[in-house]
Every structure is written in C-alpha cells, then in structure tokens.
Amino acid sequence: MRFITAIFALFFFTASAAAQTEIEFTDYTEADSGTWIAGVYEGGILFGTSAGLDRATEGALARAVAAEGFTGEEGRVLIVPGPGAGLTRVVLVGMGPKAARTPRQYRDIAGTAIRALGETFVDRAVISLDDRDGTVADAGTAANLALGAKLASYRFDRYHTGLDNGHMPGIARLVILTAQADAARALYASRLEPLAKAIFLARDLISEPANVIYPESFVTRVRRAARGVDVDIDVLKVRDMKKLKMGALLGVGQGSERPPRLLVLRYNGGAEGDAPVVFVGKGITFDSGGISIKPRDNMWRMKYDMSGAASAVGAVLALAGRKAKVNVVGIAALAENMPSAAAQRPGDVVTAMSGRTIEIWNTDAEGRLVLADAVWYAQVRFRPRVMIDLATLTGAVRRALGTQYAGLFTRHDDLASQLLAAGEASGEMLWRLPLHPAQRAAIRSDIADIKNISGNTEAGAGVGAQVIGTFVATDTRWAHLDIAGVAWTVTGGPTTPPGAVGFGIQLLDQLVADYYESE
Ligand code: BES
Ligand code: ZN
Ligand code: MN
C-alpha cells in the first residue's frame, strides 16, 4: 500500500511541475469564448476592443462599469464574469488618461490584468489592448504586452504536489491580439523572451529553499540554463580561491557544510578586445547571520540573500540570449553563512585578495566580505569598462528607501545619471544615496586595515557600500546597488507575483541597450 502511495505521489509531482504560460500572437480571433482582457480609459470610457465586446454582449460591460463605478484609473481592474456572447469573463483594465504610453506602461497594464486573475484557472486568455487611437496594438506594443503578461504569470509551484487541490492555478495560453502578428512574434522572440527567461531563472533560484540551492547547485542550475546560450563559464572552487588568497570570501563560507564558489559567466557580443561591462552579485545562498546569528522572525526569507547573484547571472544570459552587441561578464560570489564550530568569529581578522586586512566585528555583515574579493577579482582579471554590483546588503536600505527603490551608490556622477535613467525607463527604480569620507573613518579598525561594520547605527547602507568601495580603485567606474528592499516582494507588483522579483535584470538590459551597446 505504501508503495502504491509513493507511485501516485511521484506521478502527481511530475504532472504538476512548473506549469508555464504559453504566448501566441495573432491578428484575428473570434470573440466567442474564453477570457478577454481589454482596456478602459479614465472616466470608465470603453474604446476599441472593450467597446466591441460591449456591443457583442449587448451592453453588459457598460452596465458593469456603471454599477461598480469603475474609473479606468491605471492599475485598476474590473472582472466581469459571464457577460454573455459565450465569453467566460472579460477583464477590464484601467489605462488611465487617453495618451501615448511607454513600453514599460504597456508591460505594467498587461501584467496588472493577469495578476488580477490571481489563482483562477484560465485555459485561454486573449489580450487585446488597443493603442491610443483605438487601433489594435502594433508589434512593439504587442511584444511588451506579452512580456508584462508573461512576467506576471510567473509561479513557483515545484513543491505544490496538486494532491489536495486537483489542478494547478494559472493561465495555460495567452493570445496577444496585434495588427502585426509576425513582427510582434519575431520581436518578442529575439528581444524580450530572453529577458523573461532570465528573470524566471533568477526567480526560480531565489525561490528555491536553501536545502536545494547552495553554491554548488546554484552553479549546476546556471550551467543547465546556459545550455545553447553563447556564454563561457568558469567556476572557482575552494582550492582556486585559496590560491588567489580570497580570505574574505572563504571566511564567510567556512562555517558551512556547503563549500563556496565563485561563478564567472562571459558573453562576447561586442568588438574583440573591448573592455567588458561587469556585473557582480552577492550570492549568499542562506544568511543565518553566522555566529552573530539573526533573530528567528522571517529568518526563512534569507534564502533570497543570493538575489544579487541571480540577477548578475540572469542579466548576462538575457544579453547573450538577445545577442546584444556588448562584452559582458557576470560574477556570482556564492557562499552559505552558517554558525558552526568551523565558522568565523566576531573579532577574527581575514586578509582579502587585495592584501587588505578586515576585522570581523559582526559575522552577519557578510555580503560586503564576499564582494570585497569578488570586485577585486573582477578588476584584476577583466579591467571593466564599468562594474556594477548588486547585493541584498543591508536592512538599513529597506528602512531608508522602502520597497520601490534600490539604493544606488557611486563615485561617478555620469554613471549615476545613466543608471537613474535606465531605472526610470525599465521600471526598476533607483535612488542615489551618498558615500561620504566620514563613513570611511567609521570603519577604521584598531588592529586591521578596516572592520566590517561601523559599530554605530548611522547610515548603515552607506557604510556597507564603503566597505565594498575599499576594494575598488577610484578610477574604476563602479556602482553598488543595494537591493535588500526590492529583491523580495510581500505584496507583489504589476509584473511580479508576491515573492522573488529578479530585480535588476530589466534595469541592466536597459542600461546596456541605452549606453553600452555598439551599433
Ligand atoms: N542579508 C542581510 C541584509 C538584509 C536584511 C537583506 C534584511 C534583506 C532583508 C545582510 O547580510 C545583513 O545581515 N546585514 C546586516 C548588517 C549589519 C550587521 C551591519 C543588517 O542589515 O542588519
Ligand atoms: Zn546577507
Ligand atoms: Mn548578514
């Protein structure tokens, strides 16, 4: 009997693993069944597709809009079930005022509609969101609608066996209505789908628990995802890191059963010999705090402390996938921060690869330590044209900026402008915070070159940035993004269900497209 149960469990597990939403583009489909998603302008004005569906249903949509006082404000959704004409439901999504929209707005509007469907099982949904003048979406609009919808449809359902709820919720097929189906399909496949794939990879890596994703298995998953993508992969193991004298990274990993790794991904789509754009990510696969152990509440969430690494790797895969004309490198500094008899202690002194010594005052300030060696290695080995690190570095940045903006730290104003602009355009927004020499003074140590915390509670995010900056030459164009507030969402956003965000991939793709890609 037990044997039979095991077989059934196995069957259900396989059958339900990661249902993916399929995307299609078409220039015509009958409005006689399934779920339709259509736009409404501010003031509850039906237009284009929503006006057409209203006529087909003999005014059911106009009645619903009036009854609910639906305003058509951007971000608002009204679901009208069983409106007639054979339709299962119509999702009316607010577009805001009648005006031109950016690609990012189209992504958000489509995502908002999909998110509003929540756990509903949808066999086939048609998205028909018209352009300003009421005409069916062109190729660019359609491809962005597809990306927004796809991102919003993400689910991490590997561990839902389906044994108790029959079927997995979600949307099986998404049909995007567009006047230019062939061009939209081609644009989506070549330019945007690689982004979606990279973001899904990052979200999977982040969502996976730390008993599944640890440094070695992170590397294995990335290798698997990189099959068929034009990237080179190097992995430094403990003995390689010892040879390079990466004492800071090794110190963080030494308390864990799971040995640390440094993963390097390279994609050369630019001119030979062009200095690369380098992304470096904090990859703490679980941050217990180490001997300076964290309190119990929400400690489980510290599986997301490798979000920076997931996005650094994801950004390289996305750029390679869309054949960007740029040379890029992604580095993941991977370690698990655990307390054990072998763990480093508060008061220990380690020597980083650069030769500088660090006194560990708090083993929970570990991200800056793994990054100290990773950014140094990146500079020595790759001489980057620009280097951007991403890290869930401090709780302080979350308190300062909340959950909408990542903290941006840089000594280079031109790089700050580029990143801030790419943030606005991509919707992954940044807010610049200062690096002040006083914070350098605060990390002076009595017995080593620096210590890893200041010992006071002031400007915690800036102090963390300063520790990393100690290992970056002043003429290296470097920026640090503290993503601790944005990498995990409790409420979700227009294109992000609650949980892992994959923050930074769209931002870095936009940055490269706007400033670092050759023609
Ligand atoms: N991974 C944490 C930062 C963090 C906190 C990320 C909350 C996401 C949510 C980091 O390693 C850490 O523990 N930072 C300490 C630094 C302190 C010891 C100076 C912090 O923020 O408390
Ligand atoms: Zn951490
Ligand atoms: Mn920590």
Side-chain angles (χ1 to χ4, degrees):
M1 194 55 210
R2 193 181 290 159
F3 178 67
I4 293 185
T5 318
I7 289 189
F8 271 100
L10 194 66
F11 169 75
F12 278 108
F13 187 79
T14 325
S16 64
Q20 279 262 355
T21 303
E22 269 185 60
I23 304 257
E24 294 163 28
F25 296 89
T26 183
D27 58 11
Y28 182 75
T29 181
E30 291 284 347
D32 60 357
S33 68
T35 295
W36 276 64
I37 296 167
V40 176
Y41 280 137
E42 213 163 85
I45 300 164
L46 302 168
F47 74 104
T49 301
S50 57
L53 291 171
D54 188 52
R55 282 192 296 277
T57 57
E58 288 160 11
L61 302 187
R63 283 195 299 277
V65 165
E68 293 286 349
F70 184 64
T71 60
E73 211 180 299
E74 196 177 327
R76 298 278 174 146
V77 175
L78 176 64
I79 299 184
V80 187
L87 297 162
T88 310
R89 64 181 72 76
V90 173
V91 179
L92 295 175
V93 56
M95 309 268 293
K98 182 173 177 176
R101 259 160 263 281
T102 61
R104 173 196 154 190
Q105 282 174 305
Y106 279 115
R107 295 204 286 265
D108 284 354
I109 289 168
T112 300
I114 296 300
R115 290 262 290 117
L117 286 166
E119 304 277 281
T120 314
F121 178 77
V122 177
D123 185 43
R124 179 174 186 265
V126 179
I127 302 187
S128 181
L129 287 162
D130 313 273
D131 283 329
R132 171 169 41 165
D133 47 7
T135 54
V136 180
D138 65 17
T141 300
N144 279 289
L145 291 173
L147 178 61
K150 178 82 181 171
L151 293 177
S153 75
Y154 176 80
R155 284 200 157 59
F156 186 72
D157 52 16
R158 260 191 113 198
Y159 303 108
H160 282 152
T161 61
L163 284 173
D164 49 7
N165 60 4
H167 62 68
M168 298 308 297
I171 298 163
R173 277 165 72 207
L174 268 176
V175 180
I176 318 285
L177 204 61
T178 160
Q180 301 168 308
D182 291 339
R185 196 177 300 120
L187 177 63
Y188 180 72
S190 65
R191 182 67 182 75
L192 299 182
E193 200 177 16
L195 263 178
K197 276 192 183 162
I199 293 164
F200 277 27
L201 170 70
R203 288 181 185 173
D204 283 349
L205 288 167
I206 296 163
S207 306
E208 285 285 11
N211 62 330
V212 174
I213 288 296
Y214 40 88
E216 291 164 286
S217 60
F218 183 105
V219 169
T220 308
R221 282 276 180 106
V222 171
R223 278 195 198 280
R224 204 186 304 154
R227 265 186 224 148
V229 183
D230 179 22
V231 290
D232 294 321
I233 298 183
D234 298 329
V235 180
L236 304 195
K237 299 191 173 171
V238 169
R239 64 171 178 284
D240 307 308
M241 292 190 265
K242 278 188 176 152
K243 260 186 227 151
L244 292 167
K245 300 191 159 59
M246 293 186 169
L249 200 166
L250 287 166
V252 172
Q254 79 188 27
S256 171
E257 295 276 333
R258 303 294 190 181
R261 290 286 185 267
L262 193 90
L263 167 66
V264 182
L265 254 74
R266 278 174 299 154
Y267 162 68
N268 288 318
E272 217 183 295
D274 264 9
V277 174
V278 178
F279 310 133
V280 184
K282 169 179 172 180
I284 300 298
T285 55
F286 188 72
D287 183 11
S288 68
I291 296 295
S292 314
I293 199 162
K294 286 182 180 296
R296 69 180 85 154
D297 284 356
N298 290 323
M299 200 208 272
W300 65 271
R301 211 174 272 159
M302 279 301 124
K303 66 178 182 175
Y304 92 89
D305 214 18
M306 34 57 69
S307 293
S311 290
V313 162
V316 173
L317 290 176
L319 290 165
R322 73 165 178 82
K323 300 186 165 46
K325 293 189 173 58
V326 65
N327 297 336
V328 284
V329 176
I331 298 180
L334 300 160
E336 187 183 46
N337 189 23
M338 293 293 272
S340 80
Q344 73 182 353
R345 293 146 289 248
D348 282 5
V349 174
V350 296
T351 305
M353 182 184 172
S354 77
R356 289 206 197 220
T357 54
I358 311 169
E359 185 186 8
I360 314 292
W361 265 22
N362 187 325
T363 64
D364 197 11
E366 83 298 335
R368 55 200 77 183
L369 297 172
V370 299
L371 287 172
D373 280 335
V375 295
W376 184 263
Y377 176 80
Q379 289 168 102
V380 173
R381 175 152 175 214
F382 296 110
R383 302 264 157 232
R385 182 169 165 202
V386 57
M387 174 167 74
I388 296 161
D389 82 73
L390 302 96
T392 47
L393 206 76
T394 66
V397 84
R398 208 183 166 95
R399 286 190 290 277
L401 297 181
T403 57
Q404 300 301 321
Y405 290 89
L408 160 64
F409 296 87
T410 180
R411 304 164 180 142
H412 298 265
D413 293 347
D414 66 317
L415 181 55
S417 315
Q418 293 176 354
L419 278 160
L420 289 167
E424 284 297 329
S426 67
E428 294 189 319
M429 293 185 298
L430 306 174
W431 199 265
R432 193 177 182 184
L433 293 170
L435 283 166
H436 193 275
Q439 300 158 339
R440 311 255 357 229
I443 54 171
R444 267 186 220 131
S445 157
D446 291 340
I447 67 163
D449 295 331
I450 62 166
K451 55 189 195 245
N452 75 330
I453 61 167
S454 69
N456 66 46
T457 56
E458 295 160 13
V463 171
Q466 288 288 5
V467 172
I468 302 168
T470 307
F471 302 87
V472 180
T474 46
D475 62 351
T476 298
R477 293 180 66 244
W478 159 71
H480 160 63
L481 308 183
D482 192 335
I483 61 171
V486 294
W488 185 273
T489 171
V490 173
T491 54
T495 58
T496 319
V501 175
F503 184 97
I505 297 179
Q506 293 175 85
L507 167 79
L508 295 175
D509 173 66
Q510 185 90 42
L511 180 83
V512 168
D514 291 349
Y515 302 104
Y516 295 96
E517 233 178 305
S518 48
E519 239 337 286

